[in-house]
Every structure is written in C-alpha cells, then in structure tokens.
C-alpha cells in the first residue's frame, strides 16, 4: 500500500532522514521503532505531506504522491494520529470527531463511522458533549485516534500513541489497534515503546539517527 524509496529529509543543516526505504503492505501493521530523535516522526510527517523531502519518493497504492498536498493525501485515504494528540481542546468530543470527517460529504457513511468509533471507544460516546479539554490523557488519545478514523482512512499513521500514558491505558489502546487491524485497516505505527508496538505489529523497522539499521517480523525483532 505504501512504499518509500531513498527518503532524505533535512531541517536546515540537520540531515534527519538518510536515504531510508520501507514498505507497508495492505492490511498489515508495520511499526517503526527507535529512540527519541531517530527520525520516526519525520518519516510520518513526510508520508502525510507536512514535510517535503529533498530526495526520494513516496508511493501510495502505486501512485507517486511525493508532491501532493497534505489535504489531498487525506482525501486519498491517509490519516495521522499526531504525537501529543493535537485535539481541539475547546470543542466538544462530538465536534472533534466531526472535524476528522471534514473532507467527506457522505452523511450516511459519516454516521456509520461515528458509531464505529463509539463502539471502539465507548467512553467517547458518554463524553460526547464535554469539551475535549476535560478529558483524561488516555481519553484524549482515544479521541485523537477516533478523529483520524472519521476521515475513513485506508492507511492510519500513529505517532507515539502510548506517550505519557499509564501502562493499563497503553494496554487498552493497543487492544483497540489490534481491533482496527482485525477489521482490515492498514496501520503504520511509530513508537519508542518497542515492546507494546511489536505485540500488534506484523513487521517492523528499527531506526537509528535517520537510518534503518534492522528490519524483520515482530518475532524476529
């Protein structure tokens, strides 16, 4: 579904990604693990169009999307759960979820996906009229995932979803990821928490200082 070829990204004089290449097959969970500053978030930001590479190409479902705008990539079926959640704190839970569907016009489909999100995270339905600011950290992370799912993605990018969460909440979150995977959604997961990520991943890449140094199945890693 996704192919990255020889990706090089710079921030000024900093060479953040050094010729990385990887693949995300349709229907699988692929994880990119590594320490803070290894280039994991830069990889996701390049895939979703927030960062432009100086070299290399990004292909989605066989189409070269390297020069495509971020908003167009959402319409193509790429959605991201950003690091730090980035929810709209002054909007209600319901309105945050609707913001995820801003590119869509299929009212019936939006209603159907809203019910799927509520089934995945029942607490969000209970909190639907509350401002997102009032949610706990774990509930805010659920909201960030739900908002991304409301775009109707084919590929879900998740950037450090376990960051700052208590272990029991990390477990609950990854149960949801496993359920999303079981329903056929392709997921690319970026994590420092290698143990949690490899529990749900089919395949993984290890990134160090902008370079892939190891790859394999979750059992091999």
């Amino acid at each position: 579904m996704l192919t990255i070829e020889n990706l090089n990204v710079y921030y000024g004089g900093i060479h953040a990604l050094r010729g990385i290449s990887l693949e995300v097959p349709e229907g699988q969970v692929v994880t990119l693990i590594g320490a803070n500053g290894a280039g994991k978030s830069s990889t996701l930001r390049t895939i979703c169009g927030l960062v432009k590479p100086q070299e290399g190409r990004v292909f989605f479902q066989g189409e070269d999307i390297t020069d495509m705008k971020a908003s167009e990539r959402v319409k193509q079926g790429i959605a991201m759960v950003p690091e730090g959640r980035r929810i709209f704190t002054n909007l209600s839970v319901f309105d945050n979820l609707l913001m995820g569907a801003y590119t869509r016009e299929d009212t019936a489909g939006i209603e159907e996906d809203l019910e799927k999100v509520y089934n995945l995270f029942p607490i969000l339905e209970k909190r639907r009229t509350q401002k997102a600011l009032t949610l706990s950290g774990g509930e805010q992370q659920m909201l960030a995932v739900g908002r991304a799912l409301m775009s109707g993605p084919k590929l879900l990018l998740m950037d450090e979803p376990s960051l700052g969460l208590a272990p029991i909440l990390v477990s609950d979150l990854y149960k949801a990821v496993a359920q999303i995977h079981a329903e056929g959604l392709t997921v690319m997961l970026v994590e420092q928490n290698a143990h949690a990520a490899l529990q749900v991943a089919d395949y993984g890449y290890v990134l160090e200082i902008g370079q892939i140094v190891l790859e394999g199945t979750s059992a091999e890693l």
Side-chain angles (χ1 to χ4, degrees), residues 29-30 174-175 177-178 181 189 195-203 218:
V29 176
V30 172
Y174 274 95
K175 286 177 183 176
V177 173
H181 178 212
L189 177 64
H195 177 75
L198 292 172
Q199 290 294 308
V200 297
D202 299 295
Y203 200 84
S218 56

Side-chain angles (χ1 to χ4, degrees), residues 27-29 175-187 200 202:
Q28 292 198 0
V29 176
K175 286 177 183 176
V177 173
Q179 184 174 335
I180 292 167
H181 178 212
E183 293 173 358
L185 185 60
T186 306
V187 179
V200 297
D202 299 295

Side-chain angles (χ1 to χ4, degrees), residues 16 32-33 51 53-54 92-93 105 122 127 142 147 152 169 182 198 219:
L32 184 61
I33 55 181
V51 171
Q54 277 68 30
S92 69
V93 167
E105 297 178 357
R127 304 271 197 266
M142 293 174 192
R147 181 183 59 188
L169 295 177
L198 292 172

Side-chain angles (χ1 to χ4, degrees), residues 51-169:
V51 171
K52 184 173 178 59
Q54 277 68 30
E55 290 182 64
R57 314 303 297 175
V58 179
F59 298 88
F60 181 63
Q61 294 187 312
E63 179 182 358
D64 188 341
I65 64 168
T66 310
D67 299 318
M68 185 181 289
K69 293 180 180 179
S71 58
E72 291 299 316
R73 299 188 198 202
V74 176
K75 293 178 183 178
Q76 290 293 317
I78 299 175
M80 184 160 82
V81 182
E83 181 181 356
R85 300 148 198 165
R86 305 290 180 89
I87 57 173
F88 300 100
T89 55
N90 288 323
L91 296 181
S92 69
V93 167
F94 176 74
D95 285 341
N96 266 273
L97 292 174
L98 286 188
M99 286 294 289
Y102 79 99
T103 62
R104 301 174 61 178
E105 297 178 357
D106 56 322
T107 304
I110 291 171
E111 289 292 332
E112 183 179 341
D113 284 344
L114 185 62
E115 286 304 310
K116 288 181 180 179
V117 170
Y118 286 154
N119 287 334
L120 187 64
F121 302 118
I123 193 64
L124 295 183
E125 185 171 19
K126 294 180 181 178
R127 304 271 197 266
R128 63 185 180 277
T129 60
Q130 290 182 214
K131 284 190 175 183
L133 181 65
T134 68
L135 302 181
S136 69
E139 291 166 351
Q140 289 184 6
Q141 187 64 69
M142 293 174 192
L143 180 57
V145 175
R147 181 183 59 188
L149 292 174
M150 286 299 296
S151 69
K154 299 172 184 175
L155 172 65
L156 182 65
L157 309 175
M158 305 184 74
D159 192 357
E160 303 282 8
S162 71
L163 189 66
L165 299 184
I168 190 169
L169 295 177

